[in-house]
């Protein structure tokens, strides 16, 4: 217990998987928690779990509350209340209930859900004067919330000053020397050493924007692994377990990541009902809650290319059109791929590893450019090295590769684009022949690789000396007199050719 009265240090409202585990994590770190959920069995389940997991700890460290009024009365002031409810209307529903129950001006409400960042900005404004609406997106799923998530707080700095000690305590930790996560999943024994994966991101909305981009990268990262699985299984005829073994090996090298590790594990899992590989018994239609879509939409609004993230969203959309896919499966012709020698097969595994690495760098480059452009638009001062640091442990996209991003931004704080960083420019330049070979092999064998190939097009678009936008400008001028700039004049100076008349060139004021 951190305060010296009998009051709780923090309240948690919403005891689904994430809220319950955050409450247990906070309590493990010595804070006294008051908890409430509209579904009262969840309150009892939390209190029972806390007792059963660590009977040696203070049995009163988690207080189950019957209603929001009791929760408010049980908290030390100014109160800190964590919301773990679905994004959207439920957040405002709980805020309304808190106001009705007497929440005060200095009290802090922290939205930990995946809320749309613009909603967060609007909420901070609309609740001003009633209480402080703060936000802190959480990444890491069930286990992260329980034993150490990555936390992306933003909003009123006064609220952060109060919340920071708790957040640093419950966040995932990174070993200061190795840059690797410190993982200890033991109830009642929190990780107290290492660098916490949380940092104040910026003003209201910034944290949710950064989390949204994290999820956009997550979508692309997952899809890249899925495309590698598709190439290895359909292209090389590998069994799920064999692909799992390849992924387990990749997870030890340049492609080390939590997502690669879990994919290796998933592919080794047998279906308890049929004993076939479980993955082959799962219907190939992907779900989504919307954060990847928001990232793609944001990129379109900003004019900030994030094709690999957008392709990952489309790949999920295509997968859901199962009936249409079945019809077209019988109608559209593909190819009959030629046989590959054992040497060619082994070589493909290696070139695919490099291709995935290159495409992954492009996903992150897209995500970081999105954050940079939105920060410039919103007037946020984002610290990209710090953001990459807090993604090194706890969150879903954690990977050793993030350390290279940290170094890139530490070397050059003003780095405009990740592909300009020496490390990434050199690595991608060296590996691009393999990347091209992986894409062409997949294409020639009729295997869709939208993320691996769109990332390559992204790379080639940025490195190309010229793009065919000159012809595009001429087309626009031809049918709509939209004018064009010339390579031998000031780019601000516009010209129009009289395409339907005497084809004379006019300078347009
Ligand atoms: C995380 C995850 C988490 C959640 C996503 C999944 O960082 O912990 O991103 O937020 O798993 O909402 O999103 P989809 O359901 O859209 O795949």
């Amino acid at each position: 217990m951190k305060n010296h009265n009998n009051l709780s240090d923090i309240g948690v409202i919403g005891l689904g998987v994430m809220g319950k585990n955050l409450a247990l994590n906070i309590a493990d770190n010595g804070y006294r928690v008051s908890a409430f959920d509209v579904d009262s069995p969840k309150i009892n389940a939390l209190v029972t779990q806390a007792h059963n997991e660590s009977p040696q700890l203070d049995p009163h460290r988690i207080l189950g509350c019957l209603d929001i009024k009791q929760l408010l009365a049980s908290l030390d002031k100014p109160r800190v209340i964590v919301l773990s409810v679905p994004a959207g209307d439920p957040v405002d529903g709980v805020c309304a209930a808190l106001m009705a129950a007497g929440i005060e001006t200095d009290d802090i409400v922290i939205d930990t859900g995946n809320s749309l960042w613009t909603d967060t900005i609007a909420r901070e404004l609309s609740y001003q004067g009633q209480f402080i609406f703060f936000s802190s997106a959480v990444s890491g799923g069930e286990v992260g919330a329980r034993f150490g998530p990555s936390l992306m707080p933003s909003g009123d700095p006064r609220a952060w000053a109060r919340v920071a000690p708790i957040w640093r305590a419950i966040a995932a930790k990174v070993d200061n020397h190795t840059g690797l996560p410190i993982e200890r999943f033991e109830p009642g024994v929190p990780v107290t050493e290492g660098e916490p994966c949380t940092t104040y991101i910026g003003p209201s909305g910034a944290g949710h924007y950064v989390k949204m981009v994290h999820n956009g990268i997550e979508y692309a990262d997952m899809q890249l692994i899925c495309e590698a699985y598709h190439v290895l299984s359909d292209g090389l005829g590998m069994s799920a377990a064999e692909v799992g073994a390849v992924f387990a090996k990749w997870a030890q090298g340049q492609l080390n990541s939590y997502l690669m590790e879990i994919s290796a594990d998933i592919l080794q899992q047998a279906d308890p009902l049929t004993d076939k590989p479980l993955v082959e018994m799962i219907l190939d239609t992907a779900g989504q809650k919307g954060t990847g879509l928001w990232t793609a939409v944001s990129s379109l609004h900003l004019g900030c290319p994030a094709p690999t993230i957008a392709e990952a969203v489309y790949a999920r959309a295509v997968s859901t059109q199962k009936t249409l896919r079945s019809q077209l499966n019988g109608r559209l012709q593909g190819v009959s791929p030629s046989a590959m020698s054992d040497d060619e097969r082994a070589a493909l595994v290696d070139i695919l590893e490099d291709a995935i690495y290159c495409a992954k760098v492009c996903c992150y480059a897209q995500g970081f450019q999105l954050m940079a452009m939105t920060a410039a638009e919103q007037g946020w001062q984002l610290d990209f090295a710090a953001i990459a640091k807090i993604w090194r442990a706890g969150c879903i996209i954690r990977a050793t590769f993030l350390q290279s991003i940290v170094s890139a931004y530490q070397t050059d704080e003003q780095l405009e684009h990740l592909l300009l960083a020496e490390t990434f420019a050199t690595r991608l330049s060296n590996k691009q022949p393999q990347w091209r070979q992986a894409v062409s092999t997949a294409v020639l064998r009729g295997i869709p690789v939208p993320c691996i190939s769109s990332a390559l097009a992204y790379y080639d678009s940025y490195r190309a000396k010229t793009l065919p936008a000159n012809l595009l400008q001429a087309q626009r001028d031809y049918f709509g007199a939209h004018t064009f700039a010339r390579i031998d004049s000031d780019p601000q100076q516009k010209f129009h050719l009289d395409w339907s008349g005497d084809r004379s060139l006019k300078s347009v004021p």
Side-chain angles (χ1 to χ4, degrees), residues 114 138-141 211 214-215 218-219 288-290 316 396:
N114 275 331
V138 176
S139 178
K211 174 59 166 51
H214 165 285
N215 280 26
E218 173 185 303
Y219 273 48
Q288 58 179 310
K289 296 208 196 83
R316 291 194 189 193
I396 302 295

Side-chain angles (χ1 to χ4, degrees), residues 187-206:
V189 190
V191 179
T192 49
E193 69 276 24
E195 197 175 341
C197 286
T198 187
T199 189
Y200 178 73
I201 303 285
S204 170

Side-chain angles (χ1 to χ4, degrees), residues 116-117 207-216 291 294-295 298:
L116 183 60
W117 67 284
H208 270 133
Y209 191 86
V210 166
K211 174 59 166 51
M212 179 194 81
V213 170
H214 165 285
N215 280 26
T291 45
W294 294 343
T295 315
S298 173

